[in-house]
């Protein structure tokens, strides 16, 4: 019998050592230590054995059970850590693998133009200001010297918000509202540009009910028309990447500037090339801030003066990139975006020449 006990020990330990995984380990555990397992059967048989036989084998069988329970536990721990190691090896992420070839995201041409405008004016000391898409009549018109019934209001087919008071609130028709917000909140001197959304009831190949403008305003004690001209010439030459671009200032009228000027650039009307040919193309509006606008915004016109300008961002973008139709800007057509989009990894930086 002691030999039989030792033979069982040797057989179970050999089988245990050979279990490849936890499933086989559990099957062996049930076969040996389970209710009808081989060792359990022998322990049960002790109950019917003679007292001598029980005395002779009881201690050895119980010692075997203790040893086997311990051996099973050791094997379980070994199998578990082997399983964990295998899973970790299989799950390993190879950080050196190239990224899957998903199409990269691209910067929309409007966003790119805004980045470029900010970079160019930023280099000239302009900060970036902000207004509101929904404005009161006063910020969009009144403070800018456009009183009720002024004909300039008819030029801008405005969206009014129903039931929003008297006079009603409106979707701003120009970013010039930011001039008013800036003068009311920022002690001069200051230089600010304000790119943003604007709205007019207009829709065709070159007009959209929602579009973008960029406003600019510089206020100081001795800012002159010469500063306005130098600033806008520098901007246009940098933006169109034409160092010798011809720029013309033409007398015009805006209610919020005096004097007022349209700014034209040289181009070839047949080829569409900017900076070539003998033709002129109107590109933006500008002027010296009207004394009444300064006074409306709490600045004493005898102390402060400055210039302002406003330009259409879609128009600048279309001219720079030779686009003829405005509508695809807002259609989210991926083919168009892939053709005209800009790499997100190459932001507009002035020192890199944009
Ligand atoms: N707000 C004008 C427009 O929408 C553009 C403009 C012209 C802005 C002259 C200005 C300016 O600041 O001085 O047509």
């Amino acid at each position: 019998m002691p030999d039989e006990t030792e033979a069982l020990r040797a057989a179970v330990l050999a089988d245990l050592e050979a279990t490849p995984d936890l499933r086989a380990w559990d099957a062996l555990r049930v076969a040996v230590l389970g209710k009808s397992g081989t060792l359990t059967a022998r322990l049960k048989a002790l109950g019917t054995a003679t007292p001598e036989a029980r005395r002779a084998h009881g201690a050895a069988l119980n010692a075997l059970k203790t040893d086997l329970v311990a051996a099973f536990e050791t094997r379980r721990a070994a199998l578990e850590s082997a399983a964990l190691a295998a899973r970790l090896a299989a799950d390993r992420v190879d950080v050196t693998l190239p990224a899957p070839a998903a199409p990269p995201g691209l910067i929309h041409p409007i966003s790119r133009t805004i980045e470029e405008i900010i970079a160019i004016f930023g280099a000239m000391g302009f900060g970036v200001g902000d207004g509101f898409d929904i404005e009161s009549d006063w910020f969009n018109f009144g403070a800018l010297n456009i009183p009720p019934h002024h004909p300039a209001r008819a030029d801008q087919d405005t969206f009014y918000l129903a039931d929003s008071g008297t006079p009603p609130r409106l979707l701003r028709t120009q970013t010039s509202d930011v001039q008013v917000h800036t003068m009311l909140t920022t002690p001069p001197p200051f230089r600010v540009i304000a790119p943003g959304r604007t709205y007019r009831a207009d829709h065709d190949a070159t007009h959209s009910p929602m579009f973008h403008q960029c406003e600019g305003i510089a206020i100081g004690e001795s800012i002159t028309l010469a500063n306005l001209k130098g600033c806008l010439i520098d901007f246009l030459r940098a933006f169109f990447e034409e160092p010798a671009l011809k720029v013309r200032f033409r007398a015009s009228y805006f209610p919020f500037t005096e004097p007022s000027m349209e700014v034209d650039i040289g181009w070839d009307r047949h080829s569409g090339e900017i900076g070539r040919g003998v033709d002129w193309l109107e590109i933006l509006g500008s002027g010296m801030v009207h004394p009444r606008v300064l006074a409306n915004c709490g600045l004493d016109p005898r102390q402060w003066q400055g210039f302002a300008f406003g330009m259409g961002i879609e128009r600048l973008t279309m001219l720079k990139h030779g686009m003829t139709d405005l509508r695809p800007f807002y259609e989210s057509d991926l083919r168009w975006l892939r053709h005209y989009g800009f790499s997100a990894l190459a932001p507009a930086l002035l020192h890199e020449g944009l």
Side-chain angles (χ1 to χ4, degrees):
M1 202 62 161
D3 288 352
E4 264 176 52
T5 306
E6 284 318 302
L8 181 61
R9 174 194 298 270
V12 172
L13 288 178
D15 287 350
L16 186 59
E17 202 50 46
T19 47
D21 53 28
L22 286 164
R23 184 187 286 256
W25 172 89
D26 198 48
L28 182 64
R29 187 186 58 83
V30 171
V32 177
L33 300 170
K35 254 205 222 124
S36 39
T38 43
L39 183 58
T40 313
R42 294 202 188 184
L43 285 163
K44 272 189 192 154
L46 284 177
T48 56
T50 59
E52 299 79 53
R54 209 182 301 154
R55 222 174 298 124
H57 308 302
L61 279 175
N62 277 311
L64 176 60
K65 181 173 180 182
T66 308
D67 293 350
L68 287 183
V69 167
F72 268 94
E73 271 319 296
T74 307
R75 181 68 185 154
R76 189 178 62 88
L79 285 172
E80 269 176 5
S81 56
L84 181 63
R87 213 167 63 230
L88 287 177
D91 282 356
R92 226 179 64 201
V93 174
D94 182 353
V95 293
T96 66
L97 275 180
L106 294 167
I107 302 288
H108 192 285
I110 293 289
S111 305
R112 172 69 187 197
T113 297
I114 291 175
E115 282 179 1
E116 292 180 3
I117 293 173
I118 291 174
I120 298 169
F121 281 105
M124 294 194 266
F126 282 74
V128 178
D130 214 357
F132 298 95
D133 286 20
I134 296 176
E135 277 294 11
S136 70
D137 188 271
W138 193 75
F139 277 98
N140 194 78
F141 292 125
L144 291 162
N145 201 27
I146 313 175
H149 313 301
H150 190 289
R153 291 193 181 211
D155 293 344
Q156 305 188 358
D157 300 316
T158 312
F159 289 113
Y160 289 95
L161 277 75
D163 304 326
S164 59
T166 320
R169 289 188 177 272
L170 49 91
L171 294 178
R172 68 174 176 184
T173 60
Q174 48 187 357
T175 44
S176 305
D177 65 319
V178 184
Q179 290 191 21
V180 184
H181 288 292
T182 309
M183 283 190 265
L184 288 174
T185 54
T186 311
F190 58 75
R191 300 172 203 178
V192 167
I193 55 162
R197 270 182 228 115
T198 45
Y199 305 84
R200 291 184 200 176
D202 228 352
H203 204 190
D204 60 35
T206 53
H207 295 89
S208 145
M210 189 282 300
F211 58 106
H212 297 77
Q213 284 191 340
C214 183
E215 193 74 14
I217 180 165
I219 298 290
E221 282 176 305
S222 54
I223 290 184
T224 68
L225 197 74
N227 299 128
L228 179 163
K229 293 177 78 172
C231 175
L232 291 179
I233 291 171
D234 278 357
F235 164 71
L236 291 167
R237 289 182 173 167
F239 181 78
F240 287 108
E241 297 167 28
E242 285 287 342
L245 182 68
K246 284 188 293 174
V247 181
R248 175 173 83 172
F249 291 81
R250 185 164 40 83
S252 182
Y253 170 76
F254 298 103
F256 30 85
T257 44
E258 182 58 37
S260 303
M261 292 172 300
E262 306 277 6
V263 184
D264 302 337
I265 56 172
W267 82 319
D268 183 331
R269 73 164 73 240
H270 302 294
S271 68
E273 277 175 290
I274 306 283
R276 311 270 178 279
V278 293
D279 304 307
W280 291 103
L281 181 66
E282 179 191 317
I283 196 96
L284 56 88
S286 67
M288 298 303 290
V289 179
H290 197 295
R292 207 172 291 142
V293 174
L294 293 169
N296 284 345
C297 301
L299 298 183
D300 182 349
R302 285 164 305 184
Q303 186 186 359
W304 301 106
Q305 59 184 14
F307 64 83
F309 55 89
M311 51 202 168
I313 291 177
E314 281 78 353
R315 182 164 163 75
L316 286 174
T317 310
M318 289 169 73
L319 288 170
K320 181 163 179 175
H321 303 294
M323 303 160 166
T324 49
D325 192 342
L326 173 80
R327 288 166 288 203
F329 277 109
Y330 317 110
E331 284 171 355
S332 297
D333 183 332
L334 279 179
R335 289 164 305 178
W336 185 88
L337 288 168
R338 279 195 199 111
H339 182 75
Y340 285 111
F342 292 85
S343 165
L345 298 176
L349 297 174
L350 195 60
H351 71 268
E352 287 175 3
L354 295 173

